[in-house]
Every structure is written in structure tokens, then in C-alpha cells.
Amino acid sequence: MSFPDVIDLSSDEEIEEAHANDVKPLLSANSLSKCEEYAIKQEVEERRSSNSCSCISEQGSSSANGFASPPGSPGSPVPLCRQFWKSGDYEPRQAFAQVSQSGTDRLRIHPKFLHSNATSHKWAFGAIAELLDNAVDELQNGATFVVIDKFINPRNGNPALLIRDDGGGMDPESLRRCMSFGFSDKHSDSSIGQYGNGFKTSTMRLGADVIVFSRCTKKRILTQSIGLLSYTFLRQTGCDDIVVPAVDYEFDPHTTLFERLCRHNTKQFSDNLLMLLKWSPFSTEAELLKQFDEVGPHGTKIIVYNLWFNDDGHMELDFESDPKDITICGAHRSVQKNGKGSVLTQKYIANRLHYSLRAYISILYLHSPEHFRIILRGQVVEPHHIANDLIYRECVLYKPQVGGVMEAAVITTIGFLEGAPDINVHGFNIYHKNRLILPFKGVANNSYGKGRGVVGVLEANFIKPTHDKQDFEKSNLYQKLETRLKEMTYEYWDLHCHLVGYDNKKKPTTSGPAAPGHHMHQLRTSSSLQQVKMNSGALASSQLLPNPNVSASNRVVTALTVQMKSTAGQFSNCDAGLPLKRKHESHNAAADASKRQAKSNAAGLGSTQKHDRGIGQKRMHEIKTMILENKKLRKQCLEYELMEKQLKLKEQKFRSELQEVQELYKKLLVQLRSLDEVKVEK
């Protein structure tokens, strides 16, 4: 049997036959009869039972821990482990030389690279997001939706992952490029994908095998193609090169049917089809072609099957816990609910996105594409805008520069989460070309809670994401951005933390007795009390706001003590030259007078305390009002700056148009004068 198409950097050259016992080619060039389909099916079953290089064990013959039973012969390939992080642990077999028919050497990629390449995705949802990006990029080709759902493998009843969109689809050449390495046809600035590696890394991270159905119209030719990228097939057959069976069909307007499209010869088509029927979830050609019924006139359908297991031996993607969602098995169990604040924190989307695909997709795109729907298990995913969860919002403009040249202008929306301080979530959601790269990236690292509850949203198109789109390259620009976001967090915290009930840990420094905010120990007379009121008012207007209740109580206690000492000292001075009896009486009278005076002062100072509290609350209200007014003015300022830019552009446009009109006027005037001269001559 000859090998199907070999990925040779999208080359279509056939390779030499690797086996002597070739299967007889399928006779029909259009479609198989029922007898022929049955014969092929029987042959596939016989080969499966007799061939030592069999595929991964079916559900009935698998061991309890998810591993396939090892073949008995010593020369047989190592069985495929169903746990992703262990499935690459095997020694490659001795490679045998293969050359193309032209005799030229070509790049060979060992199947083990499929696994090592997929390890760039540490998180299963990150791999699914990669496939969603491909569907969103099809917006330019008229895509209106993408479906993510559960698919049942008809061979063994196991669940698989289905992703389908109604984009432009792929023609035969594009399908082969998609399944090869290092190609990307996405040159638009709006396209999310750019490396041409996302399909392979994402599908191989989710499962061992993937089959793709795509229908496309190009140059008025309607084609449909089927391709299979199977790690199971490559491991079990001992291939030392990545082999991708693919078949194509072309629509015949005369017969209104899809006819086989033989790129080289019918034998190659038949061999590829036989491999698809053996290693895919579908055992007949009719079942394969039936999958296009859902695709429609154009689009792509991806089925990832033989999904990976986690370290506990359970399937990593959980389709059973929530019929309207796909979750990561066991991830929600790590959520600890200790107290009211913790419960509110764990219910917030910042924590749910780690195990709920619906939660993650709802914040995956900063601006939801117009007229485009993401349908997860039959229900549309409603977008969640994190900026709408913020209170006391502010917009901060950041202009990163390298070598004195401004790279971009980034507007960051920052604020406290509604529900703070009961919700302990903080960090920045950093997007790139509308796609979320870092959710709730923490930048405030300290032990005393400064920055807690502060959340921001920004789109940073001036830095590059990593290949898995879960982080950014650690460039100089990224480090500058991280430093600025940290500064931004602390600045916002110092100004606004008191508004949500946090205590400001930043205290004023004391350089002497006249330091602001430390006048309480200087109180001696009632005039000093008035001076403290003035100083406290000055403090209230700064970023560090004192607690008015604490200040008032301190003033009452200190002033009362000073007044009592002052009164006692006055009576003592007056009694200096009196006789003993009169002195004793005067001391008694002084004591009574001192007590009465103290009671009177206490009553007066009690009313002063209430008055000071009222002043403090009023002052706090004034500060909040000023902050809100400041926000409005900043917003208006940004609007005016934008209007100014637009008006300048209009001015330039009108000036250029005026110049063009003037030049045209001069030309017409010259033509008119020449016509007048001709008339005069006649």
C-alpha cells in the first residue's frame, strides 16, 4: 500500500511505495457502489484485526487508566498514551530514507514534533481560542457564526470536539497548507493569526486526531476537501514523517453532483480514501460526504477526536457537568469558598474563566464583531465587557517611546470592581488586535494589599504576543508597559482607595513639629484648636485623606486636658499669698469651679465634636464631587482633543480641495481665454 500525501512544504509530489502488499485501487472514479463500500469496509476490518501496527485500542479493549493495550510483538510500535503530557514520551524508531520522485532531498518532520509543538499550549482553552481566531478571521470572507459543540464518535461512542463556521472555506491547496508547517496566508493587519502554526498546535493539544471538512468556491469552481491529521495513525504505523491523507471533490454543474477530483491519479485518491476510512471516525465514503450537509455552500468543519486525558485518567474536556458549557475536568474543585468575600471573588468571571469555556469566550474579544455569533452548545455566548464592571473609572493615556520615537498611543480604562472590597480581584486585561492575551495580569506585587481591587482594560497593538497567544514577548516595550501599569495602579489606589472602604497604607512623613497632619501634640489653647481645624482642612484636600471622626475625638480629649490644666494653674497662681484656712477654702472653691468649668467645657466640646464631624462629612462629600467633576472634565478634554484632530484633518482636506479647485479654475480660465481669442479671430 502506498503512502498518502506527505507534507512536503505543501508539495504534491508522490513518494515511493513503502509496502509491497498494495491494496487494489478503487475502480469507480465518481462514487463507490454499496458492494464496493462493503468490500472496502471488510478489508479495513481485516487489516485492523491482523495488522500488528493497529490503531489505538477501542473503548472495549482499553485499560482502565486510559492507556491502549501494548501489542505483543517486540517490533511493534509503542502504544499511544491518552494523557497529553505523557504521550510524547517514547523513543523514535530508526528512520528510513525517503526521497521524492524527482530525486531531490526534502525537509522531513518526525511525528514526535506534532506533540512537542503542541506543548506550547499549556491550557486547553487557549487551544480552543486559537481555532476560534481562525473562524473570526473569516469575517472578511463573510462568516457570520462559529459553532462549538460536542460530537459523538460513531465508531466507539466517545465524545469529540466539533468546531464549525460558515466562512469562505479552503480549497484543496489551502487545506494542505493548513496542515503543513510554516505557512500563513493572513497578511491583513486585522487578522489575529499570523504564524501559520495555530491549527496544528491547537488541535494536537486537544486530541490525538483531527479531521477537517471544508467547502470553498474559488475562481467559480466549487470544491470540497477532507484532510486527516492523526497522531494515532503516525504512531501506530511507525511513520518517521508526517503523512496527511486528503481527498478532494469538485462540483459538476451538469450532473449537480460532487465528482472525485484526482490531483495525480485514481490510485492515489483510492489510497488516501482508504486511510481516511480506516483511521477517521467514519467507515464509509457516504458517511464522510454526509458531514458536508452541515457545512452548507461554504465553510469549514473540524472534529477533534481521541481527546486527551488529564493526570487523573479523566477526559480533560468535560461535556457532562453543564449541558450549555464545556468545562475543564476538575478545575472548578480547586475553588475555595471561605467567607462572603471569597464566595463573591470565586463567582466573578476572573476565576470562572479558568474552568468555564463560556466565561472565557465572553471576554475573549474586546469588541464583539458585528453580525457575528459564537454559539457554544446551542446557545449564543453573550459578550462580557469588563469595563462595565468598574466604578470610579478613569481613562489614562499612555504613549510608549523607544529612542525618542513614539510607538503608539494607548488608552487604559482603570477603576475598582463593583463590589470591592468584598471582591478580591485585580490586574489588567491586555488585548492585542481585539484578542485577549493576558486576563487580569497582576502588576501590583506587595504584601500590604496596595492595588487590591484595581482592574484595567487596554489594547496594546504595539507589542507582539507569543505563539500560543497567552503571553507577550518580553521585549523592552513590554517591560516599559508593565512598569507603567504598576505605577498607574498605585497612583489610582492612593487617590481612590478610600472611596470603596480601603485604608490608605501610605502615611505622611514627619520631619518636625510643624509637619502636616501632626499638630495634635501642639494643642495648648482654644486658638490652637482653631489652627488644627484649618490644618485638617488643608489635609482633606490632598490625596491622603484623614478620618474626620478620629481627628475630632483626638481634638476633644486633648483640648479638654489642656483646659483643665490651664484652669487649675490659674487658680493656683491666685491663691499664692492667702492664709491656710482661706487657702484651703479657696482650693475647695477652685476645685468646685474647676469641676464646673470642666463639665461646661465637656458639654461645649461635645457639641464641637458633632460640629467637626459634620464639617468632615461635608468636606468628604465636596471631595467626591470634585473627583466626579474632574472625571467629566477629563472626558470632555479627550473629546475636545479628538475633535481638534478631526477638525485639523478636515482643514487639511479642505485646503487641498481648495487648491485643486483653484488650479482647475486657472486651467479653465486659460481655456476660456483661448476660446475667446479664436472667436475674435473668426
Side-chain angles (χ1 to χ4, degrees):
M1 180 183 64
S2 61
F3 276 110
D5 288 345
V6 178
I7 291 302
D8 183 13
L9 298 184
S10 77
S11 173
D12 294 321
E13 295 179 349
E14 297 182 68
I15 63 173
E16 294 181 345
E17 297 182 353
H19 300 282
N21 54 339
D22 289 313
V23 179
K24 294 180 181 180
L26 302 180
L27 300 177
S28 174
N30 296 324
S31 61
L32 295 173
S33 65
K34 292 184 178 180
C35 295
E36 290 170 332
E37 288 183 353
Y38 178 78
I40 291 176
K41 185 176 180 180
Q42 288 295 110
E43 185 176 3
V44 170
E45 294 298 330
E46 291 174 3
R47 281 176 174 268
R48 180 179 291 112
S49 61
S50 62
N51 194 350
S52 61
C53 298
S54 59
C55 65
I56 188 171
S57 300
E58 298 294 336
Q59 190 175 12
S61 61
S62 298
S63 57
N65 61 359
F67 289 80
S69 302
S73 60
S76 60
V78 181
L80 177 62
C81 175
R82 291 296 302 277
Q83 293 173 323
F84 173 72
W85 296 107
K86 298 178 181 179
S87 61
D89 297 339
Y90 76 99
E91 290 297 328
R93 298 176 63 188
Q94 182 69 28
F96 56 89
Q98 288 183 352
V99 293
S100 61
Q101 286 185 340
S102 61
T104 59
D105 295 333
R106 61 176 178 81
L107 177 64
R108 176 180 298 156
I109 302 176
H110 195 277
K112 192 172 182 180
F113 179 72
L114 285 177
H115 178 270
S116 59
N117 189 44
T119 56
S120 62
H121 282 291
K122 302 299 184 291
W123 189 36
F125 284 173
I128 296 177
E130 191 86 55
L131 297 175
L132 288 180
D133 292 340
N134 292 338
V136 172
D137 284 339
E138 286 297 306
L139 277 168
Q140 56 189 346
N141 294 321
T144 60
F145 69 85
V146 58
V147 172
I148 311 158
D149 212 335
K150 174 184 176 182
F151 179 84
I152 299 298
N153 190 332
R155 284 195 187 272
N156 52 27
N158 290 336
L161 179 66
L162 166 70
I163 298 179
R164 175 172 57 88
D165 66 70
D166 65 338
M170 293 180 285
D171 62 1
E173 186 66 25
S174 299
L175 181 73
R176 284 158 177 78
R177 284 180 173 268
C178 173
M179 293 184 164
S180 61
F181 287 87
F183 287 97
S184 178
D185 296 326
K186 300 173 183 179
H187 304 295
S188 173
D189 291 337
S190 61
S191 296
I192 301 172
Q194 55 182 322
Y195 298 109
N197 196 36
F199 175 81
K200 280 79 66 177
T201 59
S202 56
T203 53
M204 292 294 100
R205 172 61 183 86
L206 297 169
D209 311 294
V210 58
I211 186 168
V212 181
F213 303 86
S214 192
R215 182 174 284 171
C216 172
T217 300
K218 188 174 183 180
K219 297 180 180 179
R220 299 183 180 180
I221 299 176
L222 177 59
T223 59
Q224 60 187 28
S225 303
I226 306 171
L228 176 69
L229 183 60
S230 174
Y231 188 53
T232 304
F233 156 65
L234 298 171
R235 282 284 305 271
Q236 296 299 315
T237 56
C239 292
D240 70 337
D241 204 355
I242 296 179
V243 179
V244 179
V247 293
D248 310 297
Y249 300 83
E250 184 176 330
F251 182 75
D252 187 349
H254 300 291
T255 62
T256 65
L257 297 174
F258 279 92
E259 308 291 344
R260 290 183 175 185
L261 178 60
C262 299
R263 294 166 61 85
H264 298 287
N265 52 58
T266 57
K267 185 179 185 303
Q268 185 196 52
F269 185 98
S270 301
D271 290 343
N272 287 346
L273 179 60
L274 186 61
M275 298 304 296
L276 283 168
L277 298 180
K278 180 176 181 179
W279 297 98
S280 77
F282 311 101
S283 57
T284 66
E285 186 181 28
E287 290 180 7
L288 280 173
L289 297 178
K290 189 173 178 60
Q291 301 307 309
F292 286 100
D293 293 347
E294 287 184 326
V295 175
H298 50 80
T300 301
K301 180 177 181 179
I302 300 171
I303 300 175
V304 184
Y305 58 102
N306 285 334
L307 299 175
W308 297 116
F309 291 0
N310 59 19
D311 293 339
D312 297 328
H314 302 290
M315 190 170 291
E316 190 173 15
L317 295 181
D318 181 6
F319 297 91
E320 306 303 327
S321 298
D322 190 341
K324 297 296 182 183
D325 199 358
I326 299 175
T327 60
I328 293 181
C329 182
H332 64 283
R333 297 172 190 168
S334 62
V335 175
Q336 300 295 330
K337 299 181 179 181
N338 299 321
K340 178 181 176 183
S342 180
V343 171
L344 293 175
T345 298
Q346 300 303 336
K347 285 184 177 180
Y348 186 62
I349 196 169
N351 291 283
R352 289 190 294 112
L353 67 87
H354 294 292
Y355 61 85
S356 168
L357 182 60
R358 183 173 294 275
Y360 177 55
I361 295 176
S362 68
I363 63 171
L364 186 59
Y365 300 105
L366 182 59
H367 307 291
S368 301
E370 192 175 0
H371 308 303
F372 186 83
R373 297 173 299 154
I374 301 177
I375 305 172
L376 176 60
R377 306 201 69 180
Q379 185 173 331
V380 176
V381 177
E382 297 296 334
H384 184 104
H385 301 290
I386 298 173
N388 294 338
D389 298 342
L390 305 182
I391 56 177
Y392 307 111
R393 282 180 293 183
E394 285 192 358
C395 294
V396 182
L397 182 63
Y398 170 55
K399 297 180 179 180
Q401 294 184 357
V402 175
V405 179
M406 187 179 71
E407 294 291 331
V410 181
I411 296 179
T412 301
T413 303
I414 189 173
F416 278 107
L417 278 178
E418 188 174 3
D422 294 329
I423 298 180
N424 183 17
V425 173
H426 59 273
F428 288 84
N429 295 270
I430 309 177
Y431 289 78
H432 179 268
K433 293 185 178 180
N434 198 45
R435 159 74 141 83
L436 178 63
I437 305 298
L438 286 175
F440 298 95
K441 166 67 176 177
V443 295
N445 301 318
N446 54 73
S447 59
Y448 49 89
K450 188 173 184 178
R452 179 181 175 183
V454 178
V455 172
V457 181
L458 68 151
E459 185 177 21
N461 295 333
F462 60 93
I463 51 180
K464 290 185 178 181
T466 55
H467 284 255
D468 63 344
K469 299 186 182 73
Q470 297 299 310
D471 202 349
F472 287 99
E473 295 179 358
K474 307 306 180 184
S475 62
N476 186 29
L477 277 173
Y478 175 77
Q479 293 173 359
K480 286 185 176 182
L481 174 64
E482 200 171 27
T483 302
R484 181 64 189 102
L485 293 179
K486 184 176 181 179
E487 295 172 351
M488 197 183 299
T489 300
Y490 290 159
E491 291 168 1
Y492 181 87
W493 170 271
D494 289 338
L495 185 61
H496 300 85
C497 67
H498 63 280
L499 298 177
V500 294
Y502 286 115
D503 291 331
N504 196 334
K505 300 297 182 181
K506 185 177 180 181
K507 301 297 183 182
T509 57
T510 57
S511 58
H518 292 267
H519 295 273
M520 297 304 168
H521 64 283
Q522 296 180 354
L523 293 177
R524 290 295 179 269
T525 60
S526 58
S527 61
S528 299
L529 180 61
Q530 183 66 26
Q531 181 66 28
V532 170
K533 291 181 182 179
M534 295 173 61
N535 292 331
S536 65
L539 270 175
S541 62
S542 66
Q543 292 185 2
L544 304 175
L545 301 176
N547 191 326
N549 297 333
V550 175
S551 301
S553 61
N554 287 341
R555 285 197 294 269
V556 170
V557 174
T558 308
L560 181 59
T561 304
V562 171
Q563 187 67 26
M564 291 176 65
K565 289 182 179 180
S566 176
T567 305
Q570 290 175 4
F571 278 100
S572 177
N573 293 333
C574 293
D575 294 340
L578 294 178
L580 182 61
K581 183 177 180 181
R582 294 291 302 273
K583 184 181 292 187
H584 178 70
E585 291 176 352
S586 65
H587 276 293
N588 291 337
D592 294 339
S594 177
K595 291 179 180 179
R596 288 194 298 271
Q597 185 67 23
K599 290 180 180 179
S600 176
N601 290 339
L605 289 172
S607 60
T608 303
Q609 178 184 13
K610 295 180 181 179
H611 178 69
D612 290 343
R613 287 179 180 176
I615 292 175
Q617 293 175 357
K618 182 178 179 182
R619 183 63 180 170
M620 186 69 70
H621 179 72
E622 291 176 355
I623 292 172
K624 290 182 179 179
T625 304
M626 291 172 63
I627 290 174
L628 293 176
E629 291 294 331
N630 186 27
K631 289 181 181 179
K632 292 180 181 179
L633 292 174
R634 287 186 179 182
K635 185 177 179 181
Q636 291 177 0
C637 183
L638 290 175
E639 291 176 354
Y640 289 147
E641 288 179 356
L642 182 61
M643 289 175 60
E644 182 184 8
K645 292 180 180 178
Q646 292 176 350
L647 291 173
K648 286 183 178 179
L649 291 175
K650 287 183 178 179
E651 180 188 5
Q652 294 177 358
K653 182 180 178 181
F654 289 151
R655 287 184 181 278
S656 61
E657 289 179 355
L658 178 60
Q659 187 176 359
E660 291 176 359
V661 171
Q662 288 176 345
E663 291 177 355
L664 180 61
Y665 172 75
K666 291 179 180 179
K667 292 180 181 179
L668 292 175
L669 187 60
V670 171
Q671 292 178 3
L672 180 61
R673 288 176 179 175
S674 61
L675 289 174
D676 291 340
E677 292 176 358
V678 171
K679 289 180 181 180
V680 171
E681 291 177 358
K682 290 181 178 180

